[in-house]
mmCIF file of all heavy atoms in Angstrom:
data_model
loop_
_atom_site.group_PDB
_atom_site.id
_atom_site.type_symbol
_atom_site.label_atom_id
_atom_site.label_comp_id
_atom_site.label_asym_id
_atom_site.label_seq_id
_atom_site.Cartn_x
_atom_site.Cartn_y
_atom_site.Cartn_z
ATOM 1 N N MET A 1 91.205 77.875 86.202
ATOM 2 C CA MET A 1 92.312 78.627 85.726
ATOM 3 C C MET A 1 93.230 77.736 84.853
ATOM 4 O O MET A 1 93.358 76.504 85.156
ATOM 5 C CB MET A 1 93.125 79.230 86.896
ATOM 6 C CG MET A 1 94.226 80.075 86.540
ATOM 7 S SD MET A 1 95.030 80.856 87.950
ATOM 8 C CE MET A 1 96.410 81.690 87.213
ATOM 9 N N GLN A 2 93.790 78.339 83.802
ATOM 10 C CA GLN A 2 94.704 77.533 83.004
ATOM 11 C C GLN A 2 96.068 78.062 83.014
ATOM 12 O O GLN A 2 96.291 79.270 83.156
ATOM 13 C CB GLN A 2 94.159 77.534 81.557
ATOM 14 C CG GLN A 2 92.844 76.644 81.458
ATOM 15 C CD GLN A 2 92.408 76.697 79.995
ATOM 16 O OE1 GLN A 2 92.304 77.685 79.408
ATOM 17 N NE2 GLN A 2 92.043 75.474 79.514
ATOM 18 N N CYS A 3 97.075 77.188 82.701
ATOM 19 C CA CYS A 3 98.451 77.569 82.642
ATOM 20 C C CYS A 3 98.685 78.594 81.490
ATOM 21 O O CYS A 3 98.396 78.295 80.393
ATOM 22 C CB CYS A 3 99.306 76.285 82.500
ATOM 23 S SG CYS A 3 101.055 76.598 82.432
ATOM 24 N N PRO A 4 99.388 79.677 81.788
ATOM 25 C CA PRO A 4 99.655 80.660 80.776
ATOM 26 C C PRO A 4 100.694 80.164 79.782
ATOM 27 O O PRO A 4 100.858 80.758 78.661
ATOM 28 C CB PRO A 4 100.254 81.862 81.531
ATOM 29 C CG PRO A 4 99.931 81.643 82.960
ATOM 30 C CD PRO A 4 99.718 80.108 83.196
ATOM 31 N N VAL A 5 101.455 79.136 80.114
ATOM 32 C CA VAL A 5 102.455 78.618 79.294
ATOM 33 C C VAL A 5 101.938 77.634 78.233
ATOM 34 O O VAL A 5 102.178 77.757 77.088
ATOM 35 C CB VAL A 5 103.643 77.938 80.135
ATOM 36 C CG1 VAL A 5 104.656 77.366 79.234
ATOM 37 C CG2 VAL A 5 104.214 78.947 81.050
ATOM 38 N N ASP A 6 101.206 76.695 78.686
ATOM 39 C CA ASP A 6 100.777 75.608 77.766
ATOM 40 C C ASP A 6 99.266 75.337 77.817
ATOM 41 O O ASP A 6 98.801 74.300 77.281
ATOM 42 C CB ASP A 6 101.488 74.222 78.130
ATOM 43 C CG ASP A 6 101.527 74.005 79.651
ATOM 44 O OD1 ASP A 6 100.471 74.283 80.331
ATOM 45 O OD2 ASP A 6 102.494 73.608 80.174
ATOM 46 N N ASN A 7 98.536 76.241 78.535
ATOM 47 C CA ASN A 7 97.076 76.080 78.620
ATOM 48 C C ASN A 7 96.539 74.804 79.214
ATOM 49 O O ASN A 7 95.388 74.415 79.070
ATOM 50 C CB ASN A 7 96.475 76.242 77.203
ATOM 51 C CG ASN A 7 96.557 77.654 76.675
ATOM 52 O OD1 ASN A 7 96.415 78.564 77.468
ATOM 53 N ND2 ASN A 7 96.730 77.738 75.370
ATOM 54 N N GLU A 8 97.416 74.144 80.022
ATOM 55 C CA GLU A 8 96.979 73.025 80.760
ATOM 56 C C GLU A 8 96.187 73.464 81.949
ATOM 57 O O GLU A 8 96.375 74.511 82.561
ATOM 58 C CB GLU A 8 98.222 72.208 81.283
ATOM 59 C CG GLU A 8 97.890 70.933 82.116
ATOM 60 C CD GLU A 8 97.575 69.850 81.159
ATOM 61 O OE1 GLU A 8 97.638 69.996 79.902
ATOM 62 O OE2 GLU A 8 97.020 68.832 81.645
ATOM 63 N N THR A 9 95.062 72.731 82.338
ATOM 64 C CA THR A 9 94.306 73.058 83.479
ATOM 65 C C THR A 9 95.103 72.945 84.755
ATOM 66 O O THR A 9 95.700 71.907 84.985
ATOM 67 C CB THR A 9 93.000 72.170 83.559
ATOM 68 O OG1 THR A 9 92.286 72.353 82.349
ATOM 69 C CG2 THR A 9 92.167 72.629 84.657
ATOM 70 N N LEU A 10 95.071 74.028 85.524
ATOM 71 C CA LEU A 10 95.930 73.918 86.739
ATOM 72 C C LEU A 10 95.156 73.244 87.954
ATOM 73 O O LEU A 10 93.896 73.257 87.966
ATOM 74 C CB LEU A 10 96.103 75.394 87.276
ATOM 75 C CG LEU A 10 96.975 76.255 86.237
ATOM 76 C CD1 LEU A 10 97.101 77.641 86.807
ATOM 77 C CD2 LEU A 10 98.288 75.716 85.907
ATOM 78 N N VAL A 11 95.875 72.598 88.680
ATOM 79 C CA VAL A 11 95.258 71.928 89.898
ATOM 80 C C VAL A 11 95.724 72.808 91.164
ATOM 81 O O VAL A 11 96.653 73.583 91.084
ATOM 82 C CB VAL A 11 95.800 70.490 90.053
ATOM 83 C CG1 VAL A 11 95.321 69.674 88.938
ATOM 84 C CG2 VAL A 11 97.272 70.479 90.178
ATOM 85 N N MET A 12 94.867 72.686 92.161
ATOM 86 C CA MET A 12 95.204 73.504 93.390
ATOM 87 C C MET A 12 95.303 72.672 94.605
ATOM 88 O O MET A 12 94.406 72.603 95.417
ATOM 89 C CB MET A 12 94.086 74.517 93.562
ATOM 90 C CG MET A 12 94.104 75.558 92.482
ATOM 91 S SD MET A 12 93.097 77.005 92.856
ATOM 92 C CE MET A 12 91.460 76.289 93.010
ATOM 93 N N PRO A 13 96.512 72.034 94.776
ATOM 94 C CA PRO A 13 96.770 71.340 96.078
ATOM 95 C C PRO A 13 96.893 72.358 97.191
ATOM 96 O O PRO A 13 97.706 73.329 97.001
ATOM 97 C CB PRO A 13 98.072 70.635 95.871
ATOM 98 C CG PRO A 13 98.721 71.337 94.761
ATOM 99 C CD PRO A 13 97.655 71.965 93.908
ATOM 100 N N GLU A 14 96.123 72.243 98.198
ATOM 101 C CA GLU A 14 96.217 73.287 99.302
ATOM 102 C C GLU A 14 97.353 72.969 100.281
ATOM 103 O O GLU A 14 97.393 71.941 100.775
ATOM 104 C CB GLU A 14 94.861 73.264 99.980
ATOM 105 C CG GLU A 14 94.717 74.505 100.946
ATOM 106 C CD GLU A 14 93.366 74.616 101.496
ATOM 107 O OE1 GLU A 14 92.355 74.300 100.798
ATOM 108 O OE2 GLU A 14 93.172 75.066 102.594
ATOM 109 N N ARG A 15 98.172 73.962 100.468
ATOM 110 C CA ARG A 15 99.285 73.770 101.313
ATOM 111 C C ARG A 15 99.280 74.875 102.452
ATOM 112 O O ARG A 15 99.301 76.012 102.163
ATOM 113 C CB ARG A 15 100.637 73.904 100.620
ATOM 114 C CG ARG A 15 100.884 72.782 99.666
ATOM 115 C CD ARG A 15 102.221 72.879 99.026
ATOM 116 N NE ARG A 15 102.422 71.827 98.013
ATOM 117 C CZ ARG A 15 103.549 71.679 97.335
ATOM 118 N NH1 ARG A 15 104.585 72.510 97.565
ATOM 119 N NH2 ARG A 15 103.632 70.718 96.474
ATOM 120 N N SER A 16 99.138 74.426 103.672
ATOM 121 C CA SER A 16 98.978 75.314 104.751
ATOM 122 C C SER A 16 97.976 76.448 104.526
ATOM 123 O O SER A 16 98.232 77.634 104.819
ATOM 124 C CB SER A 16 100.268 75.927 105.239
ATOM 125 O OG SER A 16 101.253 75.749 104.352
ATOM 126 N N GLY A 17 96.842 76.062 104.087
ATOM 127 C CA GLY A 17 95.733 77.056 103.930
ATOM 128 C C GLY A 17 95.890 77.973 102.723
ATOM 129 O O GLY A 17 95.063 78.795 102.485
ATOM 130 N N VAL A 18 97.002 77.809 101.956
ATOM 131 C CA VAL A 18 97.127 78.598 100.819
ATOM 132 C C VAL A 18 96.896 77.865 99.561
ATOM 133 O O VAL A 18 97.478 76.775 99.383
ATOM 134 C CB VAL A 18 98.602 79.149 100.744
ATOM 135 C CG1 VAL A 18 98.738 80.149 99.596
ATOM 136 C CG2 VAL A 18 98.869 79.989 102.070
ATOM 137 N N GLU A 19 96.040 78.340 98.706
ATOM 138 C CA GLU A 19 95.821 77.604 97.421
ATOM 139 C C GLU A 19 96.811 78.025 96.402
ATOM 140 O O GLU A 19 96.980 79.142 95.993
ATOM 141 C CB GLU A 19 94.412 78.014 96.896
ATOM 142 C CG GLU A 19 93.320 77.373 97.771
ATOM 143 C CD GLU A 19 91.932 77.669 97.223
ATOM 144 O OE1 GLU A 19 91.888 78.413 96.185
ATOM 145 O OE2 GLU A 19 91.018 76.972 97.690
ATOM 146 N N ILE A 20 97.532 77.086 95.887
ATOM 147 C CA ILE A 20 98.607 77.235 94.951
ATOM 148 C C ILE A 20 98.168 76.671 93.620
ATOM 149 O O ILE A 20 97.849 75.501 93.570
ATOM 150 C CB ILE A 20 99.894 76.589 95.405
ATOM 151 C CG1 ILE A 20 100.333 77.275 96.736
ATOM 152 C CG2 ILE A 20 100.949 76.897 94.333
ATOM 153 C CD1 ILE A 20 101.567 76.475 97.314
ATOM 154 N N ASP A 21 98.066 77.474 92.555
ATOM 155 C CA ASP A 21 97.744 77.012 91.284
ATOM 156 C C ASP A 21 99.001 76.217 90.610
ATOM 157 O O ASP A 21 100.042 76.866 90.437
ATOM 158 C CB ASP A 21 97.359 78.073 90.356
ATOM 159 C CG ASP A 21 96.105 78.817 90.888
ATOM 160 O OD1 ASP A 21 95.122 78.112 91.374
ATOM 161 O OD2 ASP A 21 96.060 80.029 90.887
ATOM 162 N N TYR A 22 98.840 74.949 90.425
ATOM 163 C CA TYR A 22 100.002 74.168 90.035
ATOM 164 C C TYR A 22 99.725 73.508 88.699
ATOM 165 O O TYR A 22 98.641 72.926 88.476
ATOM 166 C CB TYR A 22 100.334 73.101 91.065
ATOM 167 C CG TYR A 22 101.287 72.024 90.694
ATOM 168 C CD1 TYR A 22 102.676 72.363 90.538
ATOM 169 C CD2 TYR A 22 100.885 70.749 90.320
ATOM 170 C CE1 TYR A 22 103.571 71.367 90.170
ATOM 171 C CE2 TYR A 22 101.838 69.767 90.012
ATOM 172 C CZ TYR A 22 103.181 70.121 89.894
ATOM 173 O OH TYR A 22 104.014 69.204 89.552
ATOM 174 N N CYS A 23 100.663 73.588 87.730
ATOM 175 C CA CYS A 23 100.499 73.010 86.475
ATOM 176 C C CYS A 23 101.217 71.633 86.447
ATOM 177 O O CYS A 23 102.377 71.581 86.580
ATOM 178 C CB CYS A 23 101.055 73.893 85.372
ATOM 179 S SG CYS A 23 101.014 73.137 83.750
ATOM 180 N N PRO A 24 100.513 70.532 86.282
ATOM 181 C CA PRO A 24 101.032 69.183 86.266
ATOM 182 C C PRO A 24 101.904 68.892 84.958
ATOM 183 O O PRO A 24 102.668 67.929 84.916
ATOM 184 C CB PRO A 24 99.808 68.242 86.323
ATOM 185 C CG PRO A 24 98.732 69.047 85.895
ATOM 186 C CD PRO A 24 99.011 70.512 86.164
ATOM 187 N N LYS A 25 101.714 69.804 83.949
ATOM 188 C CA LYS A 25 102.373 69.470 82.694
ATOM 189 C C LYS A 25 103.790 70.085 82.669
ATOM 190 O O LYS A 25 104.770 69.340 82.426
ATOM 191 C CB LYS A 25 101.545 70.049 81.535
ATOM 192 C CG LYS A 25 102.069 69.597 80.177
ATOM 193 C CD LYS A 25 101.038 70.082 79.057
ATOM 194 C CE LYS A 25 101.489 69.645 77.736
ATOM 195 N NZ LYS A 25 100.564 70.036 76.683
ATOM 196 N N CYS A 26 103.891 71.351 83.002
ATOM 197 C CA CYS A 26 105.299 71.989 82.921
ATOM 198 C C CYS A 26 105.783 72.259 84.358
ATOM 199 O O CYS A 26 106.873 72.786 84.535
ATOM 200 C CB CYS A 26 105.158 73.342 82.177
ATOM 201 S SG CYS A 26 104.180 74.669 82.954
ATOM 202 N N ARG A 27 104.949 71.773 85.301
ATOM 203 C CA ARG A 27 105.379 71.899 86.761
ATOM 204 C C ARG A 27 105.487 73.399 87.212
ATOM 205 O O ARG A 27 106.311 73.642 88.115
ATOM 206 C CB ARG A 27 106.648 71.117 87.072
ATOM 207 C CG ARG A 27 106.417 69.688 86.780
ATOM 208 C CD ARG A 27 107.511 68.792 87.505
ATOM 209 N NE ARG A 27 107.149 67.410 87.532
ATOM 210 C CZ ARG A 27 107.642 66.503 88.310
ATOM 211 N NH1 ARG A 27 108.592 66.863 89.132
ATOM 212 N NH2 ARG A 27 107.302 65.274 88.335
ATOM 213 N N GLY A 28 104.840 74.206 86.503
ATOM 214 C CA GLY A 28 104.872 75.642 86.944
ATOM 215 C C GLY A 28 103.922 75.899 88.141
ATOM 216 O O GLY A 28 102.940 75.151 88.250
ATOM 217 N N VAL A 29 104.221 76.836 88.946
ATOM 218 C CA VAL A 29 103.378 77.232 90.080
ATOM 219 C C VAL A 29 103.017 78.649 89.860
ATOM 220 O O VAL A 29 103.838 79.507 89.657
ATOM 221 C CB VAL A 29 104.194 77.022 91.368
ATOM 222 C CG1 VAL A 29 103.288 77.429 92.523
ATOM 223 C CG2 VAL A 29 104.470 75.548 91.517
ATOM 224 N N TRP A 30 101.733 78.951 90.000
ATOM 225 C CA TRP A 30 101.209 80.304 89.857
ATOM 226 C C TRP A 30 100.447 80.668 91.055
ATOM 227 O O TRP A 30 99.594 80.013 91.581
ATOM 228 C CB TRP A 30 100.282 80.288 88.576
ATOM 229 C CG TRP A 30 100.849 79.616 87.442
ATOM 230 C CD1 TRP A 30 100.694 78.367 86.995
ATOM 231 C CD2 TRP A 30 101.889 80.133 86.550
ATOM 232 N NE1 TRP A 30 101.461 78.067 85.968
ATOM 233 C CE2 TRP A 30 102.243 79.155 85.575
ATOM 234 C CE3 TRP A 30 102.479 81.432 86.397
ATOM 235 C CZ2 TRP A 30 103.183 79.340 84.615
ATOM 236 C CZ3 TRP A 30 103.374 81.615 85.392
ATOM 237 C CH2 TRP A 30 103.683 80.647 84.470
ATOM 238 N N LEU A 31 100.779 81.885 91.493
ATOM 239 C CA LEU A 31 100.215 82.405 92.782
ATOM 240 C C LEU A 31 99.536 83.693 92.402
ATOM 241 O O LEU A 31 99.977 84.577 91.605
ATOM 242 C CB LEU A 31 101.232 82.705 93.802
ATOM 243 C CG LEU A 31 102.035 81.511 94.228
ATOM 244 C CD1 LEU A 31 103.218 81.988 95.099
ATOM 245 C CD2 LEU A 31 101.183 80.481 95.052
ATOM 246 N N ASP A 32 98.431 83.964 93.127
ATOM 247 C CA ASP A 32 97.802 85.281 93.157
ATOM 248 C C ASP A 32 98.618 86.102 94.082
ATOM 249 O O ASP A 32 99.309 85.609 94.983
ATOM 250 C CB ASP A 32 96.358 85.206 93.595
ATOM 251 C CG ASP A 32 95.445 84.574 92.620
ATOM 252 O OD1 ASP A 32 95.870 84.503 91.399
ATOM 253 O OD2 ASP A 32 94.362 84.050 92.956
ATOM 254 N N ARG A 33 98.465 87.443 94.014
ATOM 255 C CA ARG A 33 99.258 88.358 94.959
ATOM 256 C C ARG A 33 98.897 88.115 96.339
ATOM 257 O O ARG A 33 99.737 88.055 97.142
ATOM 258 C CB ARG A 33 98.823 89.847 94.541
ATOM 259 C CG ARG A 33 99.555 90.796 95.370
ATOM 260 C CD ARG A 33 99.166 92.200 95.041
ATOM 261 N NE ARG A 33 99.585 92.522 93.553
ATOM 262 C CZ ARG A 33 100.544 93.294 93.292
ATOM 263 N NH1 ARG A 33 101.386 93.737 94.245
ATOM 264 N NH2 ARG A 33 100.804 93.521 92.016
ATOM 265 N N GLY A 34 97.657 87.879 96.689
ATOM 266 C CA GLY A 34 97.225 87.631 98.065
ATOM 267 C C GLY A 34 97.716 86.347 98.541
ATOM 268 O O GLY A 34 98.109 86.195 99.734
ATOM 269 N N GLU A 35 97.845 85.313 97.672
ATOM 270 C CA GLU A 35 98.376 83.986 98.091
ATOM 271 C C GLU A 35 99.862 84.121 98.454
ATOM 272 O O GLU A 35 100.333 83.523 99.377
ATOM 273 C CB GLU A 35 98.114 82.968 96.937
ATOM 274 C CG GLU A 35 96.699 82.704 96.847
ATOM 275 C CD GLU A 35 96.346 81.874 95.598
ATOM 276 O OE1 GLU A 35 97.195 81.841 94.663
ATOM 277 O OE2 GLU A 35 95.337 81.232 95.531
ATOM 278 N N LEU A 36 100.564 84.906 97.620
ATOM 279 C CA LEU A 36 101.996 85.108 97.895
ATOM 280 C C LEU A 36 102.185 85.749 99.293
ATOM 281 O O LEU A 36 103.139 85.390 100.028
ATOM 282 C CB LEU A 36 102.672 85.914 96.802
ATOM 283 C CG LEU A 36 104.149 86.185 96.980
ATOM 284 C CD1 LEU A 36 104.893 84.914 97.036
ATOM 285 C CD2 LEU A 36 104.666 87.041 95.853
ATOM 286 N N ASP A 37 101.319 86.821 99.565
ATOM 287 C CA ASP A 37 101.402 87.481 100.883
ATOM 288 C C ASP A 37 101.301 86.479 101.996
ATOM 289 O O ASP A 37 101.913 86.582 102.977
ATOM 290 C CB ASP A 37 100.371 88.636 100.901
ATOM 291 C CG ASP A 37 100.726 89.764 100.083
ATOM 292 O OD1 ASP A 37 101.974 89.827 99.618
ATOM 293 O OD2 ASP A 37 99.858 90.578 99.726
ATOM 294 N N LYS A 38 100.352 85.581 101.842
ATOM 295 C CA LYS A 38 100.056 84.635 102.930
ATOM 296 C C LYS A 38 101.220 83.737 103.159
ATOM 297 O O LYS A 38 101.708 83.458 104.235
ATOM 298 C CB LYS A 38 98.906 83.715 102.501
ATOM 299 C CG LYS A 38 97.563 84.407 102.606
ATOM 300 C CD LYS A 38 96.458 83.448 102.251
ATOM 301 C CE LYS A 38 95.089 84.158 102.074
ATOM 302 N NZ LYS A 38 94.103 83.192 101.495
ATOM 303 N N ILE A 39 101.946 83.369 102.081
ATOM 304 C CA ILE A 39 103.210 82.513 102.239
ATOM 305 C C ILE A 39 104.226 83.293 102.876
ATOM 306 O O ILE A 39 104.983 82.804 103.771
ATOM 307 C CB ILE A 39 103.563 81.984 100.907
ATOM 308 C CG1 ILE A 39 102.541 80.997 100.301
ATOM 309 C CG2 ILE A 39 104.876 81.292 100.903
ATOM 310 C CD1 ILE A 39 102.758 80.527 98.939
ATOM 311 N N MET A 40 104.418 84.530 102.492
ATOM 312 C CA MET A 40 105.492 85.366 103.091
ATOM 313 C C MET A 40 105.262 85.507 104.532
ATOM 314 O O MET A 40 106.223 85.479 105.346
ATOM 315 C CB MET A 40 105.459 86.788 102.406
ATOM 316 C CG MET A 40 105.799 86.645 100.896
ATOM 317 S SD MET A 40 107.591 86.355 100.515
ATOM 318 C CE MET A 40 108.150 88.085 100.723
ATOM 319 N N GLU A 41 104.021 85.779 104.930
ATOM 320 C CA GLU A 41 103.728 85.964 106.345
ATOM 321 C C GLU A 41 104.035 84.673 107.101
ATOM 322 O O GLU A 41 104.558 84.741 108.199
ATOM 323 C CB GLU A 41 102.227 86.359 106.564
ATOM 324 C CG GLU A 41 101.876 87.688 106.110
ATOM 325 C CD GLU A 41 100.391 87.976 106.149
ATOM 326 O OE1 GLU A 41 99.665 87.079 106.714
ATOM 327 O OE2 GLU A 41 99.963 89.014 105.643
ATOM 328 N N ARG A 42 103.669 83.522 106.591
ATOM 329 C CA ARG A 42 103.902 82.349 107.299
ATOM 330 C C ARG A 42 105.339 81.935 107.433
ATOM 331 O O ARG A 42 105.787 81.374 108.401
ATOM 332 C CB ARG A 42 103.133 81.163 106.573
ATOM 333 C CG ARG A 42 101.636 81.262 106.827
ATOM 334 C CD ARG A 42 100.871 80.231 105.885
ATOM 335 N NE ARG A 42 99.407 80.439 106.023
ATOM 336 C CZ ARG A 42 98.702 79.887 107.051
ATOM 337 N NH1 ARG A 42 99.319 79.073 107.810
ATOM 338 N NH2 ARG A 42 97.380 80.096 107.075
ATOM 339 N N SER A 43 106.120 82.184 106.353
ATOM 340 C CA SER A 43 107.509 81.868 106.444
ATOM 341 C C SER A 43 108.322 82.888 107.355
ATOM 342 O O SER A 43 109.410 82.540 107.848
ATOM 343 C CB SER A 43 108.116 81.951 105.031
ATOM 344 O OG SER A 43 107.968 83.225 104.504
ATOM 345 N N ALA A 44 107.782 84.069 107.619
ATOM 346 C CA ALA A 44 108.366 85.039 108.448
ATOM 347 C C ALA A 44 108.261 84.756 109.906
ATOM 348 O O ALA A 44 109.033 85.221 110.801
ATOM 349 C CB ALA A 44 107.871 86.419 108.176
ATOM 350 N N THR A 45 107.199 84.012 110.220
ATOM 351 C CA THR A 45 106.922 83.718 111.624
ATOM 352 C C THR A 45 107.649 82.431 112.063
ATOM 353 O O THR A 45 107.694 81.507 111.388
ATOM 354 C CB THR A 45 105.441 83.629 111.885
ATOM 355 O OG1 THR A 45 104.819 82.719 111.029
ATOM 356 C CG2 THR A 45 104.749 84.910 111.797
HETATM 357 ZN ZN1 LIG B 101 102.030 74.629 82.282
#
C-alpha cells in the first residue's frame, strides 16, 4: 500500500495486534475500517 498524499510506501508496525499503515515520509497514519474498529474496541475496555 502507498501513501495517498506522497505515494511513499507505507510501513506496518503492528501495535496490539492491529496493523497500522504508517507513512515514514509525512508521518501520516492510515487505517482500514476494520482496523479502526479493533482499536476502538480495545480502548473501550
Ligand atoms: Zn505520506
Side-chain angles (χ1 to χ4, degrees):
M1 186 175 172
Q2 289 182 314
C3 179
V5 178
D6 47 39
N7 289 326
E8 183 77 8
T9 300
L10 300 178
V11 297
M12 293 194 296
E14 191 171 324
R15 293 185 184 180
S16 12
V18 181
E19 289 184 352
I20 301 171
D21 298 317
Y22 170 73
C23 176
K25 190 170 181 179
C26 69
R27 298 199 165 196
V29 175
W30 312 97
L31 298 170
D32 292 338
R33 182 183 295 262
E35 290 171 340
L36 180 59
D37 287 342
K38 288 180 188 173
I39 294 175
M40 298 284 277
E41 287 175 12
R42 287 171 185 273
S43 61
T45 52

